[in-house]
Amino acid sequence: MTPASLPLRWIAAVLLLVVFPLTLWWVGASAQDAAFRDLRERGAAKLDLYRFSLQGELQKFEVLPRILAEEAEVVQLVRDGDRQGRSARVSRFLERFNDIAGASDTYVMDRTGLTLAASNWNSPSPFVGERFAFRPYFQQALDGQAGRYHALGTTSQRRGYYFSYPISHHGEIVGVAAVKVAAERLEELLAHEPAKVIVTDAPGVIFLSTSPQWVFRTLRPLDQEAHAQLRASRQYGDGELRPLRILHEEYRARGTRLMTIQEPGASEPKPDGVDRAVTYLVQTTQVPYAGWIVHLLTDIQPVRSQVITQVVLVGVLMAVFVFALGFVYQRRVILLERIEFQRRAREASEESEANTRSLIRNTRAGLVTTAADGSVAFINPTAQDLFGTDSERVTGTPFRELLVPECRGEFDAWLQRARRAPEQLRDPLECEALHAGGSRFPVELAVSHMELKGVGRFLVTIHDLTERKRAEEALRRAHGELEERVRLRTSDLTEANRRLQEEIAERRRAEEILRQAQDELVQAGKLAAIGQMSAGITHELNQPLAAIRAYTDNARVLLERQRPEDAVSNLGHILELTDRMAQITAHLKSFARKSSGRAVPVALGEVIDRALQLLSSHTKLERFQIQREKPAAGEVWVLGDALRLEQVALNILKNAMDALAASEQRIIRIRIERKGGRGVLRVRDSGSGIAPEQLPNVFDPFFTTKDVNEGLGLGLSISMGIVREFGGTIRARNPLGGGCEFTIELPLAETGHGAATAREGTA
């Protein structure tokens, strides 16, 4: 870059980054101000026209109620009521009067607001018989004033502007005459306007509009008081009066008010996710006669288009100016760069020749240039060192003489291929060369064709492979050693794997023996429990046996006395007693049978029921109080084996009973609940608890607090193994208030369907 080009670059940068953007902004702002000014001026003229048109149209009908109030037939109807068909005559008169005046409806009411005659007497929804006393225009006329009011008709459900006037007789108001002008007639005055025109009342409710979907919408949300007043007067019926969705509102200088409104009925977004909304220039004027506000909403899209057009036009002109300036500048730069390029090319050529000479002389590869017949034309110093010779001794001699005799024939054939198709010769040639001292060394030759001053030459590149061959030999030796090490290591690993497999098989056999031993211990515990309960069970069986003996003797006596009915009754009692004995023995048989060990859904409540049934005789004899708290949300189902879990429950309950043997108060509390995706069983006794130093050891094998003759201390250890086998936990603690509490937690089952099936298989 020349110093002269620096000012031009700075000028271009200032133009592109500062002057041109400011110019485009000024052009856009000026064009926008001019367009808005034109829209405001044309809008103001239109608003004046609409205001005078609406006011003039309404004033044409204001005198009509006064004319009707002075009509004698109308006064007589209101004063005397419907006599001799007067109501029908007045209604037909009002019909003709309404057609001539061009009004929507004309009607007459008495002081109570009851319509006595109406121009629409022959329509599907006539006003005759309707009461409009709640309307403000009726109340204004009843107060002696000319009434004006706009609203939605309660009978016709059509919008209109109402005029009213009191009907007097001898100074007393006896009724009201009313004329309704349809809103559609007023909207026809605005229909030719392409922009949107809306007319609102003081609260902001749109009553007239060139867009029908805007009617009965509001410019602002109404407060509760305004809503209550409008509903009380039924001015707009029962409509919701929802506000327009104004997305943005902006006030600019010179009275420019912009409002972005989502079109009513366009609640669904466009496919590109942008709401269908229009930005309007809003201008307003008052219609004092009716208490209305006329709003002219002009779409500003033409303004934007006009601004964009002017900005684009100015931008194009500035771009042409920039391109012209850039063209002149570029021509000057190209001329300067061409001069600079020629100077640098000359210097680069000289430097390249020097570098080439230096590269040839100093490269680590040997370079030999040969003539077309293979004689040496040039040899660089590296090649001279490789062959142990100098340039004068080898120049003009065939290059093949520098190779060992075994490789010369192969080199000649390789060079012949290079002469025929030099571009196809890519693979190098490995052979051995001769040192001037007579030694041999491996080399790699690569040949390429070149032109020097129009004469074809071959450039032979020579790489000494001595170090590479040594490295390859060392690598082969290392590879052989590695293979031997891998073989030895593989043999060791194979032997270790064999021993590991044997240990795994031995471990599995030990686990199977341990599991069988545990099952045998569980079965022995069951039989021991049955043996401990034998006294109670004998008592349970002796009672029904004695009763059966008594019932049998009684039945024999009854039969001897010819009382067969009483004898049959005794036989029924005997049958019930045998069923009771069968239940006791069946439960003992089921409890004594070995379990399958499979985890299936089991009901914790049923497990406790069956354990308590086995201990029922013991609890009765020793006067234990069993207090159960069942879950509020129904049965709790867990994963486990019913018979094994019954053994666990039996061990916990039997330990609690043993702990209470010397207590006066013998209470055992049982609670079942759900907690954190698990089923929880809590068994708490009212005894003195377990000594704190013994709590950590209660689940250890052969640990017991009883006499040696009363147990081996395996019950809780077996119970812990059973609970852990099904993914649960079991804990013991001394809660506040005394006693000892055992807590068992098991995973909840998704359903309890499998429990019944599992129990049937073990019954």
mmCIF file of all heavy atoms in Angstrom, residues 40-58:
data_model
loop_
_atom_site.group_PDB
_atom_site.id
_atom_site.type_symbol
_atom_site.label_atom_id
_atom_site.label_comp_id
_atom_site.label_asym_id
_atom_site.label_seq_id
_atom_site.Cartn_x
_atom_site.Cartn_y
_atom_site.Cartn_z
ATOM 1 N N ARG A 40 -52.031 13.250 7.671
ATOM 2 C CA ARG A 40 -52.769 13.999 8.704
ATOM 3 C C ARG A 40 -53.679 15.051 8.079
ATOM 4 O O ARG A 40 -54.825 15.235 8.500
ATOM 5 C CB ARG A 40 -51.774 14.653 9.670
ATOM 6 C CG ARG A 40 -51.063 13.687 10.601
ATOM 7 C CD ARG A 40 -50.417 14.438 11.769
ATOM 8 N NE ARG A 40 -49.499 15.462 11.307
ATOM 9 C CZ ARG A 40 -48.204 15.265 11.064
ATOM 10 N NH1 ARG A 40 -47.690 14.063 11.229
ATOM 11 N NH2 ARG A 40 -47.429 16.249 10.666
ATOM 12 N N GLU A 41 -53.178 15.757 7.079
ATOM 13 C CA GLU A 41 -53.986 16.808 6.448
ATOM 14 C C GLU A 41 -55.204 16.217 5.745
ATOM 15 O O GLU A 41 -56.330 16.708 5.897
ATOM 16 C CB GLU A 41 -53.116 17.587 5.455
ATOM 17 C CG GLU A 41 -52.021 18.422 6.135
ATOM 18 C CD GLU A 41 -51.081 19.066 5.125
ATOM 19 O OE1 GLU A 41 -51.252 18.794 3.911
ATOM 20 O OE2 GLU A 41 -50.187 19.834 5.547
ATOM 21 N N ARG A 42 -54.991 15.135 4.990
ATOM 22 C CA ARG A 42 -56.131 14.521 4.307
ATOM 23 C C ARG A 42 -57.097 13.894 5.307
ATOM 24 O O ARG A 42 -58.309 13.934 5.144
ATOM 25 C CB ARG A 42 -55.630 13.459 3.323
ATOM 26 C CG ARG A 42 -54.988 14.075 2.086
ATOM 27 C CD ARG A 42 -54.669 13.049 1.011
ATOM 28 N NE ARG A 42 -53.445 12.332 1.326
ATOM 29 C CZ ARG A 42 -53.363 11.036 1.495
ATOM 30 N NH1 ARG A 42 -54.443 10.292 1.407
ATOM 31 N NH2 ARG A 42 -52.208 10.451 1.755
ATOM 32 N N GLY A 43 -56.554 13.310 6.397
ATOM 33 C CA GLY A 43 -57.413 12.719 7.421
ATOM 34 C C GLY A 43 -58.234 13.765 8.145
ATOM 35 O O GLY A 43 -59.412 13.531 8.472
ATOM 36 N N ALA A 44 -57.635 14.938 8.438
ATOM 37 C CA ALA A 44 -58.392 15.989 9.124
ATOM 38 C C ALA A 44 -59.569 16.452 8.273
ATOM 39 O O ALA A 44 -60.677 16.682 8.780
ATOM 40 C CB ALA A 44 -57.470 17.153 9.457
ATOM 41 N N ALA A 45 -59.342 16.577 6.965
ATOM 42 C CA ALA A 45 -60.440 16.989 6.084
ATOM 43 C C ALA A 45 -61.546 15.936 6.061
ATOM 44 O O ALA A 45 -62.746 16.264 6.090
ATOM 45 C CB ALA A 45 -59.896 17.235 4.672
ATOM 46 N N LYS A 46 -61.157 14.661 6.022
ATOM 47 C CA LYS A 46 -62.166 13.592 6.015
ATOM 48 C C LYS A 46 -62.945 13.572 7.331
ATOM 49 O O LYS A 46 -64.168 13.369 7.333
ATOM 50 C CB LYS A 46 -61.489 12.244 5.787
ATOM 51 C CG LYS A 46 -60.905 12.076 4.395
ATOM 52 C CD LYS A 46 -60.230 10.723 4.262
ATOM 53 C CE LYS A 46 -59.614 10.546 2.883
ATOM 54 N NZ LYS A 46 -58.939 9.248 2.749
ATOM 55 N N LEU A 47 -62.255 13.767 8.455
ATOM 56 C CA LEU A 47 -62.943 13.749 9.746
ATOM 57 C C LEU A 47 -63.985 14.854 9.831
ATOM 58 O O LEU A 47 -65.085 14.658 10.362
ATOM 59 C CB LEU A 47 -61.924 13.885 10.881
ATOM 60 C CG LEU A 47 -61.123 12.633 11.230
ATOM 61 C CD1 LEU A 47 -60.059 12.946 12.263
ATOM 62 C CD2 LEU A 47 -62.039 11.533 11.763
ATOM 63 N N ASP A 48 -63.653 16.056 9.337
ATOM 64 C CA ASP A 48 -64.640 17.143 9.343
ATOM 65 C C ASP A 48 -65.855 16.759 8.510
ATOM 66 O O ASP A 48 -67.010 17.016 8.894
ATOM 67 C CB ASP A 48 -64.002 18.413 8.792
ATOM 68 C CG ASP A 48 -62.972 18.990 9.753
ATOM 69 O OD1 ASP A 48 -63.052 18.659 10.953
ATOM 70 O OD2 ASP A 48 -62.085 19.745 9.304
ATOM 71 N N LEU A 49 -65.591 16.125 7.354
ATOM 72 C CA LEU A 49 -66.700 15.716 6.489
ATOM 73 C C LEU A 49 -67.582 14.689 7.193
ATOM 74 O O LEU A 49 -68.820 14.799 7.180
ATOM 75 C CB LEU A 49 -66.136 15.127 5.187
ATOM 76 C CG LEU A 49 -67.168 14.539 4.211
ATOM 77 C CD1 LEU A 49 -68.139 15.614 3.742
ATOM 78 C CD2 LEU A 49 -66.464 13.889 3.025
ATOM 79 N N TYR A 50 -66.969 13.686 7.848
ATOM 80 C CA TYR A 50 -67.766 12.667 8.528
ATOM 81 C C TYR A 50 -68.541 13.262 9.706
ATOM 82 O O TYR A 50 -69.695 12.895 9.966
ATOM 83 C CB TYR A 50 -66.851 11.542 9.029
ATOM 84 C CG TYR A 50 -66.122 10.828 7.912
ATOM 85 C CD1 TYR A 50 -64.833 10.306 8.102
ATOM 86 C CD2 TYR A 50 -66.696 10.673 6.653
ATOM 87 C CE1 TYR A 50 -64.166 9.667 7.088
ATOM 88 C CE2 TYR A 50 -66.023 10.034 5.641
ATOM 89 C CZ TYR A 50 -64.758 9.534 5.853
ATOM 90 O OH TYR A 50 -64.103 8.899 4.844
ATOM 91 N N ARG A 51 -67.915 14.200 10.428
ATOM 92 C CA ARG A 51 -68.594 14.798 11.589
ATOM 93 C C ARG A 51 -69.836 15.562 11.147
ATOM 94 O O ARG A 51 -70.923 15.408 11.719
ATOM 95 C CB ARG A 51 -67.627 15.727 12.319
ATOM 96 C CG ARG A 51 -68.239 16.475 13.477
ATOM 97 C CD ARG A 51 -67.158 17.101 14.344
ATOM 98 N NE ARG A 51 -66.270 17.953 13.573
ATOM 99 C CZ ARG A 51 -66.522 19.250 13.299
ATOM 100 N NH1 ARG A 51 -67.633 19.810 13.734
ATOM 101 N NH2 ARG A 51 -65.666 19.975 12.608
ATOM 102 N N PHE A 52 -69.676 16.376 10.105
ATOM 103 C CA PHE A 52 -70.836 17.143 9.627
ATOM 104 C C PHE A 52 -71.891 16.220 9.022
ATOM 105 O O PHE A 52 -73.095 16.457 9.170
ATOM 106 C CB PHE A 52 -70.390 18.180 8.609
ATOM 107 C CG PHE A 52 -69.607 19.320 9.227
ATOM 108 C CD1 PHE A 52 -68.348 19.655 8.747
ATOM 109 C CD2 PHE A 52 -70.122 20.033 10.301
ATOM 110 C CE1 PHE A 52 -67.627 20.682 9.315
ATOM 111 C CE2 PHE A 52 -69.390 21.068 10.873
ATOM 112 C CZ PHE A 52 -68.144 21.400 10.375
ATOM 113 N N SER A 53 -71.452 15.152 8.329
ATOM 114 C CA SER A 53 -72.414 14.233 7.711
ATOM 115 C C SER A 53 -73.231 13.517 8.775
ATOM 116 O O SER A 53 -74.463 13.422 8.676
ATOM 117 C CB SER A 53 -71.673 13.218 6.842
ATOM 118 O OG SER A 53 -70.989 13.865 5.793
ATOM 119 N N LEU A 54 -72.569 12.992 9.819
ATOM 120 C CA LEU A 54 -73.293 12.292 10.877
ATOM 121 C C LEU A 54 -74.226 13.236 11.631
ATOM 122 O O LEU A 54 -75.383 12.900 11.914
ATOM 123 C CB LEU A 54 -72.297 11.659 11.855
ATOM 124 C CG LEU A 54 -71.489 10.463 11.332
ATOM 125 C CD1 LEU A 54 -70.416 10.071 12.342
ATOM 126 C CD2 LEU A 54 -72.404 9.274 11.066
ATOM 127 N N GLN A 55 -73.714 14.430 11.947
ATOM 128 C CA GLN A 55 -74.540 15.368 12.705
ATOM 129 C C GLN A 55 -75.742 15.814 11.879
ATOM 130 O O GLN A 55 -76.867 15.901 12.380
ATOM 131 C CB GLN A 55 -73.690 16.575 13.125
ATOM 132 C CG GLN A 55 -74.422 17.546 14.041
ATOM 133 C CD GLN A 55 -73.463 18.515 14.704
ATOM 134 O OE1 GLN A 55 -72.341 18.155 15.000
ATOM 135 N NE2 GLN A 55 -73.917 19.731 14.923
ATOM 136 N N GLY A 56 -75.495 16.069 10.581
ATOM 137 C CA GLY A 56 -76.618 16.487 9.732
ATOM 138 C C GLY A 56 -77.648 15.385 9.558
ATOM 139 O O GLY A 56 -78.862 15.639 9.558
ATOM 140 N N GLU A 57 -77.180 14.140 9.407
ATOM 141 C CA GLU A 57 -78.111 13.025 9.238
ATOM 142 C C GLU A 57 -78.968 12.832 10.485
ATOM 143 O O GLU A 57 -80.174 12.568 10.396
ATOM 144 C CB GLU A 57 -77.319 11.757 8.930
ATOM 145 C CG GLU A 57 -78.162 10.534 8.622
ATOM 146 C CD GLU A 57 -78.896 10.649 7.296
ATOM 147 O OE1 GLU A 57 -78.519 11.534 6.483
ATOM 148 O OE2 GLU A 57 -79.838 9.873 7.061
ATOM 149 N N LEU A 58 -78.363 12.969 11.668
ATOM 150 C CA LEU A 58 -79.125 12.795 12.902
ATOM 151 C C LEU A 58 -80.121 13.933 13.122
ATOM 152 O O LEU A 58 -81.244 13.716 13.595
ATOM 153 C CB LEU A 58 -78.167 12.702 14.097
ATOM 154 C CG LEU A 58 -77.280 11.449 14.153
ATOM 155 C CD1 LEU A 58 -76.302 11.537 15.310
ATOM 156 C CD2 LEU A 58 -78.138 10.196 14.296
#
